[in-house]
Amino acid sequence: MKITEYIKNSQGKTLFSIEILPPLKGKSIHSIFNGIDPLMEFKPAFVDVTYHREEYVIRRRNDGTSEKISTKKRPGTVAICAAIMNKYKVEAVPHIICGGFGKEETENALIDLHFLGIDNILALRGDSLKTETTFQPEPDGNHNALELVQQITNMNNGVYLDLELTNPFPTSFCTGVAGYPEKHFEAVSDASDLNFLKRKVDAGAEYIVTQMFFNNQKYFDFVKKCREIGINVPIIPGLKPITNKKQLEILPQIFYTEIPQDLVNSINKATTDQAVKDAGIEWTIMQSKELKAAGVPVLHYYTMGLSEATRRIASDVF
Ligand code: FAD
């Protein structure tokens, strides 16, 4: 079932959802199940599974020459989605990215998802490779999430890349896209970022999931600005509890999000690892309760594969 239908059917009640990462290569799928099991009692409406692009390393041979070796640390997004749907009878949402994919490969991946009965997708551009200064699409690939949404919408309308296919079957994906309450780091201004977001929605995106934020006011302002320019789809807040002191430095660097001074102070005041976790979880509970009271459609938690913190939050909020 489509995420938008879950939201509609919930009749204003805030739903619970989670995002997980595929296991590191060589690890068993049971590590995923072990992370989901403790959260199932809170009845997640859906489980997002991130997609991790191939990276390359240069390996020097003994003879002095070098070879480029592909490394993919977390393969298996689509298979994990199918396994989750099969085991838990819950919607799984694969993240699909532009980076590393030609349009033909994207089309084939979408056909696989359609055959597996996966109805929902989160369409993303993906980040540039560590070796690139700016995002480089494949020569025949989508340049940004807008083009990817357009490709999915075309397939939903029965338009595949090969225009000569006879009576191609229309897919029926419900497509979500990313939104940034604190602006995407590459966007020149809030206004241009919002305009691109509006174009993704106009192209067929039916809901938005936000980047993590620690100050609810940023989310409320973002939603207001979206509504002002005619973005009327559900905007799902993404939340992550801080669970160690290093994250105070790392999260703003990776996700371009500001951490409020009050949260920094309470994390810094904590003297044990457990006290740090408690402070981070308390903050996310406070955020969650305020967002829920404001009537957000879903509270979406970035679990990063660790269920304990999300479990404590969900026990208090749902
Ligand atoms: P886009 O919407 O394409 O935007 C990228 C930038 O280009 C923005 O600055 C935007 O303003 C600008 N822009 C957009 N359209 C145009 C245009 N037509 N012309 C010029 N500029 C334009 N990454 C992963 O690799 N795997 C994941 O699983 C993953 N999951 C994520 C889940 C969520 C909820 C979020 C918020 C992010 C996720 N990311 C993931 C990270 C994401 O891929 C990066 O933030 C990436 O840099 C941007 O992706 P996007 O889809 O927002 O890009």
Side-chain angles (χ1 to χ4, degrees):
M1 194 162 90
K2 292 182 174 197
I3 283 172
T4 46
E5 289 175 62
Y6 281 100
I7 292 173
K8 213 164 128 204
N9 293 347
S10 75
Q11 299 181 318
K13 186 171 161 264
T14 301
L15 300 170
F16 166 68
S17 68
I18 55 171
E19 178 185 292
I20 61 161
L21 279 64
L24 284 165
K25 195 179 246 187
K27 298 275 179 226
S28 134
I29 193 163
H30 292 290
S31 63
I32 289 292
F33 297 152
N34 292 342
I36 297 177
D37 284 344
L39 300 174
M40 284 315 289
E41 71 171 274
F42 306 104
K43 300 191 173 43
F46 54 93
V47 177
D48 272 50
V49 184
T50 55
Y51 189 92
H52 298 260
R53 190 179 170 183
E54 220 158 7
E55 289 276 351
Y56 295 94
V57 290
I58 303 296
R59 188 179 292 167
R60 301 253 167 246
R61 297 195 190 94
N62 290 339
D63 63 5
T65 60
S66 56
E67 58 182 334
K68 194 174 166 192
I69 300 197
S70 146
T71 59
K72 189 157 166 107
K73 292 196 185 122
R74 295 181 185 272
T77 300
V78 173
I80 289 166
C81 284
I84 288 173
M85 287 176 63
N86 187 36
K87 182 172 162 69
Y88 299 103
K89 315 289 176 239
V90 65
E91 294 301 330
V93 185
H95 292 189
I96 299 290
I97 62 171
C98 304
F101 284 85
K103 284 188 186 164
E104 190 81 42
E105 288 166 298
T106 299
E107 182 171 277
N108 292 341
L110 292 168
I111 290 170
D112 283 347
L113 297 178
H114 178 59
F115 287 164
L116 284 166
I118 290 174
D119 295 330
N120 301 287
I121 290 174
L122 194 71
L124 302 144
R125 188 195 69 182
D127 282 322
S128 43
L129 292 175
K130 290 192 188 90
T131 48
E132 294 168 349
T133 45
T134 53
F135 176 78
Q136 301 298 325
E138 292 301 300
D140 57 344
N142 291 310
H143 290 68
N144 47 50
L146 170 63
E147 290 184 5
L148 176 56
V149 173
Q150 284 163 341
Q151 185 176 9
I152 300 167
T153 302
N154 282 344
M155 285 179 72
N156 281 350
N157 291 325
V159 179
Y160 287 57
L161 294 173
D162 178 356
L163 297 174
E164 288 175 12
L165 292 178
T166 37
N167 290 329
F169 193 81
T171 54
S172 55
F173 293 115
C174 172
T175 310
V177 289
Y180 300 84
E182 294 169 81
K183 186 177 89 61
H184 183 262
F185 72 102
E186 290 169 34
V188 290
S189 66
D190 279 358
S192 85
D193 206 24
L194 283 165
N195 278 325
F196 288 129
L197 181 58
K198 173 140 180 7
R199 287 173 66 186
K200 292 194 276 192
V201 172
D202 291 344
E206 294 183 66
Y207 68 99
I208 294 164
V209 183
T210 76
Q211 184 56 278
M212 68 178 71
F213 57 89
F214 297 91
N215 176 352
N216 284 353
Q217 196 53 48
K218 307 260 184 196
Y219 169 83
F220 294 131
D221 293 345
F222 174 70
V223 172
K224 187 163 172 274
K225 285 189 215 151
C226 285
R227 301 306 182 221
E228 278 166 6
I229 62 164
I231 297 174
N232 294 315
V233 298
I235 302 177
I236 299 174
L239 298 176
K240 184 198 150 8
I242 289 189
T243 49
N244 61 58
K245 283 194 180 176
K246 266 192 282 171
Q247 290 174 349
L248 288 180
E249 214 177 303
I250 291 170
L251 296 178
Q253 276 169 18
I254 301 180
F255 300 109
Y256 301 87
T257 176
E258 242 175 63
I259 304 190
Q261 197 54 45
D262 284 351
L263 175 56
V264 174
N265 293 345
S266 71
I267 298 278
N268 278 337
K269 244 189 358 214
T271 49
T272 62
D273 289 350
Q274 189 55 48
V276 169
K277 263 190 206 151
D278 292 346
I281 289 170
E282 271 312 306
W283 187 272
T284 311
I285 289 175
M286 185 268 292
Q287 278 193 280
S288 305
K289 286 185 174 170
E290 189 184 25
L291 290 162
K292 196 172 169 219
V296 298
V298 184
L299 283 167
H300 185 67
Y301 295 93
Y302 297 111
T303 70
M304 311 264 178
L306 303 170
S307 59
E308 188 216 321
T310 309
R311 191 182 152 70
R312 279 181 54 192
I313 295 160
S315 320
D316 206 325
V317 177
F318 290 94

